[in-house]
Amino acid sequence: MTVDRAVSIKRTEIAALDAADPLRTSAEAFHLPEGMIYLDGNSLGAMPLAVVERMQEVITNEWGKQLIHSWNDNNWFALSQIIGDKLAQLIGAGPGEVIVSDCVSVNLFKLVVAALKMRKGRCKIVTERGNFPTDVYVLQGIVRMFDGQIDLQMLERPELMQAIDDETAVVVLTHVHYKTSEILDMEAFTRHAHKQGALILWDLCHTAGIMPVELDALDVDMAVGCGYKYLNGGPGAPAFLYIARRLQSGLHQPLSGWWGHADPFAFSDDFRPAADIKRAQSGTQSVLGLSALDVGIDTALSVDMTQVREKSIKLGRLFIDLLAQSCPDLRLASPLDDQRRGGHVSIRHGQGYAITGALNEQGVVVDFRAPDIIRFGFAPLYTSYMDIWHTVEILERILRTKAWDREAFRQQATVT
Ligand SMILES: *Cc1c(COP(=O)(O)O)cnc(C)c1O
């Protein structure tokens, strides 16, 4: 797909868009380095300013002075649920349906194994070919664990729906694709999976904090997602998991640690799962990580997710239109249709890695996904329309002058 819409947008119109933006003041809640256009909030969200004070308080007083008393006195033991209940409001879930813990990979493992146990006699897991690697790797690990009794089917988008049949135990799909930003139809897939008697688990890593979703209303079974992208919880922030209330009492996850016990401080020899979502927990969580994430989620709760989605769509559309105007030969990897596109916009280019390096050097922070994708992540809470204008200006210049064509930009870093 090439960008071929005929448009003529002027800089003065961009300034007007920013002036009329209902979220224009939300960037003030973040620390954004001077001279940087940060378009990587889909990978590591910016730092909310209030994190500094909160962490100082947690470290100095809660940990430093109150030490072990804080498990009770500062609610450390319940933080995963307290923050989970807040996060629930961002994804259309109810209280007691979301818990914050571990990383996405671990949560996925726990829930998929539990799902297989709930659908005994069925042997198939269905997922998308090209899904985020960790999702696929975890599923492959589960298949190995079950010694060939479980069949993992990975399909391209057009074949996905029909692969979900009456042998399918669980369907694992990512709502917004990490490379292309294409949205999968949550309602249609959930309905179809249920019609076939399968459970469905949605990965919301590129969804939570940037667009509203309605897990309860769509009757979704399970979900996972991470805290460090659009939820701005900080590097390595704990992830979350969702289990529909109706499934909780029948759900048995394999990492049955003491935090998932009905009465952890009875220190009994036998595991007895907590009656509620707490059974999805395993062991002690990072209180520092949870505390920072709490601030990120408060920041997201202070705005209206519908407005966030509206701005997200407009930022993406503006970028695509400006590309059509200035770099018409670029190949777009994301859907042109606003309703089918998530929060980032990607382009494909054979020199993608070097171009990413050149953009970063000029202060436009984007990332590269092998083999040829450059991702531009727009975080409506702190990305302005003028940021998009400058980004396209800089990108056009880099392409025109071949500023990317330097040895330094070809050397692959450890993390891309
Ligand atoms: C970022 C991301 C993850 C991250 O998983 P972790 O185990 O938390 O590192 C998983 N899935 C998707 C779709 C992602 O985008």
Side-chain angles (χ1 to χ4, degrees):
M1 190 191 315
T2 44
V3 182
D4 60 358
R5 281 198 274 189
V7 281
S8 162
I9 304 167
K10 296 184 200 65
R11 194 186 159 117
T12 46
E13 296 168 42
I14 308 291
L17 284 174
D18 277 324
D21 173 13
L23 299 174
R24 67 187 169 281
T25 57
S26 60
E28 291 163 14
F30 293 90
H31 179 72
L32 298 163
E34 201 67 42
M36 180 192 282
I37 297 178
Y38 191 68
L39 302 182
D40 228 340
N42 56 325
S43 195
L44 175 62
M47 187 186 77
L49 287 167
V51 161
V52 178
E53 205 180 317
R54 173 71 181 269
M55 294 307 275
Q56 225 137 37
E57 166 64 21
V58 173
I59 290 169
T60 310
N61 291 322
E62 296 187 11
W63 178 16
K65 295 187 183 141
Q66 294 165 266
L67 279 162
I68 201 154
H69 297 303
S70 283
W71 285 109
N72 287 315
D73 296 351
N74 291 306
N75 265 334
W76 281 359
F77 198 66
L79 266 188
S80 291
Q81 295 153 72
I82 294 170
I83 301 171
D85 282 348
K86 290 192 197 177
L87 204 161
Q89 299 169 47
L90 297 172
I91 55 176
E97 289 189 310
V98 176
I99 203 149
V100 173
S101 72
D102 306 316
C103 63
V104 174
S105 309
V106 169
N107 289 336
L108 194 66
F109 174 80
K110 292 189 286 197
L111 294 186
V112 171
V113 173
L116 290 172
K117 294 205 176 298
M118 282 192 277
R119 286 294 179 274
K120 274 213 183 73
R122 289 179 173 233
C123 59
K124 255 170 68 173
I125 303 175
V126 174
T127 195
E128 184 183 6
R129 183 168 296 284
N131 196 350
F132 191 83
T134 208
D135 299 48
V136 174
Y137 301 161
V138 166
L139 297 179
Q140 289 171 339
I142 291 172
V143 168
R144 279 192 297 274
M145 197 174 81
F146 281 86
D147 281 332
Q149 288 162 289
I150 299 292
D151 180 24
L152 173 63
Q153 296 200 345
M154 287 197 279
L155 297 114
E156 306 285 341
R157 285 204 167 184
E159 283 93 48
L160 253 180
M161 193 71 92
Q162 72 196 53
I164 303 167
D165 58 16
D166 62 6
E167 291 182 351
T168 308
V170 56
V171 180
V172 179
L173 295 175
T174 298
H175 183 227
V176 178
H177 198 277
Y178 77 106
K179 276 187 178 169
T180 64
S181 195
E182 188 171 349
I183 296 177
L184 276 181
D185 186 337
M186 188 179 281
E187 184 173 7
F189 276 99
T190 301
R191 198 181 322 114
H192 181 68
H194 287 171
K195 211 163 85 196
Q196 297 297 325
L199 293 165
I200 192 158
L201 184 155
W202 287 96
D203 182 329
L204 303 180
C205 281
H206 288 272
T207 306
I210 188 153
M211 66 179 83
V213 275
E214 294 295 335
L215 298 187
D216 280 350
L218 296 184
D219 215 20
V220 166
D221 300 307
M222 306 175 194
V224 294
C226 59
Y228 49 80
K229 291 172 181 165
Y230 295 114
L231 293 173
N232 307 305
F240 66 88
L241 63 82
Y242 159 91
I243 306 166
R245 188 178 293 283
R246 66 192 148 77
L247 294 176
Q248 289 179 5
S249 63
L251 181 135
H252 298 280
Q253 59 96 354
L255 301 179
S256 48
W258 72 309
W259 276 45
H261 196 281
D263 187 5
F265 292 93
F267 295 105
S268 107
D269 283 340
D270 296 305
F271 183 77
R272 194 160 46 84
D276 56 12
I277 187 104
K278 288 201 290 296
R279 65 172 58 195
Q281 302 192 109
S282 297
T284 310
Q285 294 301 302
S286 160
V287 171
L288 299 182
L290 287 164
S291 301
L293 173 63
D294 194 20
V295 179
I297 288 174
D298 282 343
T299 313
L301 283 172
S302 72
V303 292
D304 173 354
M305 263 312 125
T306 309
Q307 280 185 348
V308 172
R309 174 62 176 155
E310 276 166 17
K311 181 175 175 188
S312 164
I313 286 175
K314 283 168 78 175
L315 290 167
R317 191 193 306 153
L318 176 66
F319 180 67
I320 291 170
D321 286 345
L322 287 173
L323 286 184
Q325 189 166 302
S326 305
C327 318
D329 296 333
L330 272 181
R331 276 193 306 148
L332 196 65
S334 301
L336 269 177
D337 178 351
D338 292 340
Q339 302 309 319
R340 287 180 46 227
R341 192 179 62 243
H344 61 281
V345 175
S346 300
I347 57 176
R348 285 185 201 279
H349 198 291
Q351 295 297 332
Y353 188 74
I355 294 167
T356 301
L359 281 164
N360 275 284
E361 191 198 51
Q362 302 205 18
V364 180
V365 180
V366 295
D367 64 25
F368 173 72
R369 287 292 170 263
D372 60 355
I373 296 256
I374 310 174
R375 295 193 305 182
F376 297 80
F378 308 130
L381 266 57
Y382 52 83
T383 302
S384 69
Y385 295 97
M386 198 56 87
D387 287 339
I388 308 271
W389 174 270
H390 288 309
T391 297
V392 175
E393 221 173 32
I394 293 167
L395 176 62
E396 186 278 329
R397 195 168 59 232
I398 287 170
L399 293 171
R400 179 165 39 81
T401 63
K402 290 202 161 39
W404 50 266
D405 195 6
R406 277 170 34 199
E407 191 48 38
F409 296 142
R410 275 189 274 275
Q411 287 165 13
Q412 187 110 5
T414 313
V415 177
T416 63

